[in-house]
């Protein structure tokens, strides 16, 4: 069990550029979640997948955000035309079929939009 | 409105002293309850959870939490803190018909020697 991994760990980009983050969940976990955390706040839910199906999206997830989990394994989160307000920590978590509400988090990707 | 409240933004405690972090929730039905810890530069680690049954639950790293339905609270405690317990602590809930976590704003714990 290598835990949840996320890449890159840090990303600096200029406003208007597109960025993509990757999350690799724990291997047997069928649910995968994305959260966003800004300074001084708790994480906020963005979206989640069960296997390859995206089952829920938060209203926080504007049209510029898209997430995929093409084969039910890793997931990508893409932000198009980044804005300074997108600067945050993006956290990925996964949970397994036996304990679906026990979520295990990766280290996060810190995004800074200049 | 549905919410998770952590009333204390920052707590400072001496090493070896006891620690209690407060968490209150406001939901129509009792949700599933969790405590997570986040150390600098690291992801969140699950400390403990409450779904049902015994209202005093034990977790990792010597932490425990007590569920009080009458107070809509789920407070986290540790009898004797270590310097390594300095971190940010988040209370979180999952509704019984849902899977996503809703977090409080967090409490930062500083441990002084």
């Amino acid at each position: 069990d290598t835990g949840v991994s996320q890449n890159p760990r840090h990303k600096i980009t200029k406003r208007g550029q597109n960025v993509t983050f990757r999350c690799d969940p724990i291997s047997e976990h069928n649910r995968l979640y994305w959260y966003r955390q800004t300074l001084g706040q708790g994480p906020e839910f963005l979206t989640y997948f069960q296997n390859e199906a995206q089952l829920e999206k938060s209203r926080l997830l504007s049209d510029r955000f898209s997430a995929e989990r093409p084969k039910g394994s890793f997931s990508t989160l893409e932000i198009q035309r980044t804005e300074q307000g997108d600067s945050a920590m993006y956290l990925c978590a996964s949970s397994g079929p036996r304990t679906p509400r026990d979520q295990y988090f990766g280290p996060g990707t810190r995004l800074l939009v200049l | 409105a549905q919410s998770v409240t952590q009333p204390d933004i920052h707590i400072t405690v001496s090493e070896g002293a006891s620690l209690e972090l407060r968490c209150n929730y406001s939901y129509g039905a009792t949700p599933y309850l969790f405590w997570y810890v986040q150390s600098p530069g690291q992801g969140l680690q699950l400390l403990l959870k409450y779904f049902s049954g015994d209202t005093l639950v034990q977790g990792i790293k010597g932490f425990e939490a007590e569920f009080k339905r009458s107070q809509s609270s789920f407070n986290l405690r540790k009898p004797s803190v270590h310097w390594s317990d300095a971190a940010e602590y988040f209370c979180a809930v999952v509704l019984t018909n849902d899977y996503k976590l809703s977090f409080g704003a967090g409490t930062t714990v500083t441990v002084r020697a």
Side-chain angles (χ1 to χ4, degrees):
Chain A
D1 179 1
T2 58
V4 179
S5 62
Q6 294 187 244
N7 287 289
R9 294 289 307 275
H10 303 273
K11 179 71 177 178
I12 300 174
T13 191
K14 294 182 179 179
R15 190 174 51 188
Q17 298 295 304
N18 299 345
V19 294
T20 300
F21 310 141
R22 177 179 170 125
C23 171
D24 288 88
I26 294 171
S27 59
E28 67 271 21
H29 283 186
N30 60 335
R31 286 189 170 84
L32 187 149
Y33 310 79
W34 286 98
Y35 294 84
R36 182 171 66 187
Q37 185 180 22
T38 53
L39 206 60
Q41 299 296 320
E44 295 176 295
F45 169 77
L46 292 178
T47 188
Y48 95 91
F49 295 83
Q50 180 172 325
N51 301 313
E52 66 275 11
Q54 188 173 18
L55 295 188
E56 188 173 348
K57 293 193 293 186
S58 164
R59 55 185 166 79
L60 292 176
L61 215 64
S62 75
D63 291 344
R64 297 184 296 106
F65 288 70
S66 62
E68 293 182 341
R69 195 183 183 198
K71 297 183 179 179
S73 56
F74 74 91
S75 175
T76 58
L77 177 68
E78 181 183 17
I79 309 174
Q80 297 182 328
R81 304 180 304 281
T82 52
E83 302 173 355
Q84 289 184 324
D86 297 331
S87 296
M89 175 78 86
Y90 290 84
L91 295 165
C92 176
S94 67
S95 65
R98 288 187 297 172
T99 54
R101 292 179 177 87
D102 290 6
Q103 294 185 29
Y104 296 86
F105 282 80
T109 295
R110 184 169 294 282
L111 173 67
L112 177 60
V113 182
L114 302 176
Chain B
Q2 297 181 331
S3 65
V4 180
T5 302
Q6 294 181 247
D8 304 303
I9 296 173
H10 190 190
I11 287 180
T12 299
V13 61
S14 297
E15 192 169 15
S18 64
L19 173 69
E20 181 168 14
L21 304 181
R22 296 182 291 164
C23 174
N24 295 93
Y25 61 90
S26 175
Y27 289 85
T30 300
Y32 300 120
L33 299 159
F34 302 81
W35 276 98
Y36 281 84
V37 61
Q38 186 175 35
S39 299
Q42 300 198 11
L44 291 99
Q45 183 179 22
L46 178 61
L47 284 175
L48 46 75
K49 63 186 179 185
Y50 174 77
F51 285 7
S52 64
D54 192 346
T55 57
L56 186 63
V57 294
Q58 303 297 320
I60 62 172
K61 305 186 178 191
F63 284 93
E64 66 180 24
E66 185 173 13
F67 167 64
K68 292 186 177 180
R69 184 186 304 275
S70 61
Q71 298 178 17
S72 297
S73 68
F74 188 55
N75 293 349
L76 181 72
R77 299 194 292 254
K78 186 168 184 177
S80 176
V81 299
H82 186 262
W83 63 266
S84 60
D85 293 323
E88 190 156 21
Y89 292 80
F90 292 95
C91 180
V93 307
V94 174
L95 298 181
T96 53
N97 61 348
D98 202 350
Y99 294 95
K100 62 183 180 290
L101 286 159
S102 296
F103 287 86
T107 298
T108 301
V109 173
T110 299
V111 180
R112 60 181 174 222

